[in-house]
Amino acid sequence: MSHRGVLTVVAGAALLFAACNAPQSETAGTRAVNKPWKDISPPTQEFTFNAESGDTITLDDGTCIRIPGGILVDSKGKTVTGEVTLDYTTIYSVAELIASGIPMDYDSAGSNFNFQSAGMFDMTARQGEEELAIKTGNAIDMDFPTTRQDLTYSFYRYDGAANNWSFQEVPEVDSNQTRLALEEEFALASIPPAKPEEYVAGTPVIDLEFELAKHPELSGYDGVIWQYAGNGKDPEDNKWIYNEVWTTADLSLADRALGHYNLYLKNDKKAFSTMIRPVLKGAEYENAIADFTERMEKFESEETARREEAERVKAIPPYISRLSVLVFGLHNMDAIGRLPDFIMANVNFVLPDFTGSRGDVTVYIVSGTSETTLAYNATGNRCYYQMGANNKVIAVDHKSGKTFTMTPAEFNAAAMGGQSFNLTMNENSTPVADMAALEKLIDEL
């Protein structure tokens, strides 16, 4: 799966051989969820719980869904009892957005805006085949991982009947403590074991006992002795330090290759710092060398798994938005804007040898590295692109599932900063069979 990066998507439906220059207001009333592939969707997670007692669902990315008991009702408004299923889908990447077919424009006060997404989700509940609702006056509170924290981002719900988004609230946003904890855990797991160093007779020794939980590179070594490393203040020239009562003693790795550590001692009157190194002697040193060799081989064999874990942690959004869900369905954390950095253009998309219906084709222009996501799902809308950015183009025929693409170099050569031009796209011989294939198609453009 690709990294949840910051990308711009401009989507225009039914643009085959047609200039996309319809008035902005025409998007209203024709906007709707329009999936390019029936069988390709972002993955959905299912959770079962008792409707009467409710549940708290926590996920590995920091998501927390708190469902009170007795708040679900059926189509007749009757309170539901017994086991129910919660379906939960998140949308962060461009591929997930395209596959979901979610419209990303918003009408407010007679004007049309475009969303800058910090993350979306779709949440529904059912009992058997019957869809359930949240009883009026109740809510499901959530901690939802998001990519942005500034107050221009608000919480919206998609109204399927009106085919428009409705503002919900400006939520509180905090750091994602789950990601921070995983980053710290991964950082510790990525530290290779330290090669034991042998005690050098005559070198000053500092008698210290440290809790080595934050220094896993030293774990398993018995009988560690701390000696002056030769850099910093020499303890032998500062023997007064042995007569002080220190209230703070901090140890930090300064040079991994040399095995040198910074020592910082402090009380309410004085402070002292120098460089020390851990050493062993005799049988303890010999045993430590044998243990080090075994641990280092294991550490190196786990490098692939560590890289995969690093990518997983990196993909977790860094913030948590605290939300209240009043109605099941599509929701997003977005800011609205008018695209000041974008050019409006009349674009003629040319798909060679295409014999299908133009009404079945959706074209996406993925621009630059911002988080602005633009979606034009109505026939004949004008198109936007970001001048000088890496504009990727993807077209999807909803009936056949065929895709057509254009690289940033091809796009920029055709556009040349203009406001009216043709884009001749290339048909992909390899069909998009699943989400992984769609992620790969976008990443490789």
Side-chain angles (χ1 to χ4, degrees):
M1 180 176 175
S2 70
H3 171 59
R4 287 173 182 162
V6 287
L7 294 169
T8 298
V9 176
V10 181
L15 298 177
L16 180 66
F17 308 121
C20 26
N21 57 359
Q24 217 169 11
S25 61
E26 288 187 13
T27 59
T30 57
R31 181 194 301 105
V33 174
N34 188 19
K35 284 173 52 62
W37 299 273
K38 291 181 179 179
D39 300 326
I40 301 176
S41 299
T44 296
Q45 300 179 73
E46 294 185 0
F47 307 95
T48 57
F49 62 94
N50 184 280
E52 295 161 277
S53 57
D55 200 2
T56 296
I57 299 167
T58 57
L59 306 182
D60 292 342
D61 63 357
T63 299
C64 184
I65 306 172
R66 304 176 187 86
I67 310 168
I71 71 163
L72 301 182
V73 295
D74 60 19
S75 58
K76 297 179 180 179
K78 181 181 177 181
T79 300
V80 176
T81 61
E83 188 174 273
V84 299
T85 300
L86 186 82
D87 295 315
Y88 181 69
T89 306
T90 56
I91 299 99
Y92 290 101
S93 71
V94 170
E96 290 168 341
L97 175 62
I98 291 175
S100 67
I102 296 173
M104 291 299 292
D105 56 319
Y106 169 62
D107 289 335
S108 178
S111 296
N112 182 256
F113 300 89
N114 298 283
F115 276 135
Q116 299 172 329
S117 180
M120 297 185 284
F121 65 89
D122 187 7
M123 183 165 64
T124 58
R126 54 189 165 86
Q127 188 171 58
E129 297 300 317
E130 184 177 12
E131 290 189 8
L132 306 178
I134 300 172
K135 188 184 299 182
T136 302
N138 293 270
I140 295 176
D141 291 331
M142 284 185 66
D143 294 345
F144 177 59
T146 48
T147 60
R148 297 292 291 268
Q149 66 169 342
D150 60 84
L151 294 179
T152 63
Y153 282 76
S154 300
F155 185 43
Y156 297 84
R157 178 181 69 84
Y158 182 71
D159 185 337
N163 285 337
N164 196 16
W165 295 92
S166 62
F167 171 83
Q168 302 293 288
E169 62 178 325
V170 178
E172 174 189 348
V173 182
D174 296 319
S175 297
N176 189 339
Q177 295 301 317
T178 296
R179 170 168 164 159
L180 292 176
L182 288 171
E183 286 176 335
E184 182 177 355
E185 181 181 319
F186 175 74
L188 292 176
S190 299
I191 299 174
K195 185 177 180 179
E197 298 293 332
E198 192 169 11
Y199 170 79
V200 178
T203 302
V205 171
I206 300 179
D207 189 10
L208 298 169
E209 290 187 9
F210 282 105
E211 173 58 54
L212 297 180
K214 292 187 177 182
H215 296 282
E217 72 277 8
L218 299 175
S219 65
Y221 294 159
D222 295 324
V224 170
I225 301 169
W226 293 97
Q227 280 192 313
Y228 174 54
N231 296 325
K233 297 178 181 178
D234 189 339
E236 289 299 292
D237 295 333
N238 296 272
K239 293 184 178 180
W240 59 271
I241 66 173
Y242 302 112
N243 299 319
E244 290 288 330
V245 176
W246 302 105
T247 55
T248 298
D250 289 332
L251 185 71
S252 62
L253 183 60
D255 189 320
R256 187 182 308 280
L258 296 176
H260 290 180
Y261 289 75
N262 284 318
L263 172 66
Y264 179 70
L265 304 173
K266 186 179 183 299
N267 58 28
D268 58 353
K269 295 181 180 180
K270 297 180 180 181
F272 177 80
S273 63
T274 189
M275 199 83 73
I276 60 177
R277 66 189 188 107
V279 296
L280 301 115
K281 61 181 179 180
E284 290 171 340
Y285 173 71
E286 298 298 331
N287 293 336
I289 284 290
D291 182 58
F292 166 77
T293 301
E294 182 178 333
R295 290 168 62 192
M296 195 64 191
E297 289 176 354
K298 182 175 184 295
F299 180 85
E300 291 173 345
S301 71
E302 295 171 345
E303 180 61 24
T304 299
R306 276 195 302 275
R307 289 178 182 173
E308 292 175 353
E309 177 64 8
E311 289 302 309
R312 186 185 77 81
V313 173
K314 191 190 301 182
I316 296 174
Y319 305 106
I320 288 290
S321 293
R322 308 199 185 282
L323 313 172
S324 292
V325 177
L326 307 178
V327 180
F328 285 126
L330 284 170
H331 297 78
N332 67 38
M333 270 293 295
D334 285 69
I336 58 176
R338 286 186 176 275
L339 315 178
D341 299 326
F342 284 72
I343 296 173
M344 192 283 287
N346 297 326
V347 180
N348 184 34
F349 293 97
V350 181
L351 277 62
D353 302 322
F354 180 74
T355 58
S357 168
R358 70 171 68 180
D360 296 325
V361 175
T362 301
V363 180
Y364 301 87
I365 302 178
V366 182
S367 297
T369 57
S370 76
E371 283 182 327
T372 304
T373 302
L374 316 177
Y376 296 93
N377 291 314
T379 301
N381 281 301
R382 53 190 176 181
C383 303
Y384 290 85
Y385 71 97
Q386 192 170 12
M387 186 174 177
N390 290 324
N391 296 286
K392 305 176 181 181
V393 187
I394 305 164
V396 184
D397 176 20
H398 291 232
K399 283 198 171 180
S400 68
K402 288 183 179 179
T403 56
F404 305 80
T405 56
M406 174 173 278
T407 66
E410 292 170 330
F411 180 92
N412 290 334
M416 295 294 289
Q419 292 182 289
S420 183
F421 50 87
N422 296 325
L423 291 180
T424 301
M425 305 179 67
N426 308 300
E427 182 177 347
N428 294 303
S429 57
T430 303
V432 173
D434 51 31
M435 281 300 304
L438 181 56
E439 297 275 5
K440 186 171 184 289
L441 175 69
I442 294 170
D443 288 344
E444 292 182 350
L445 279 180

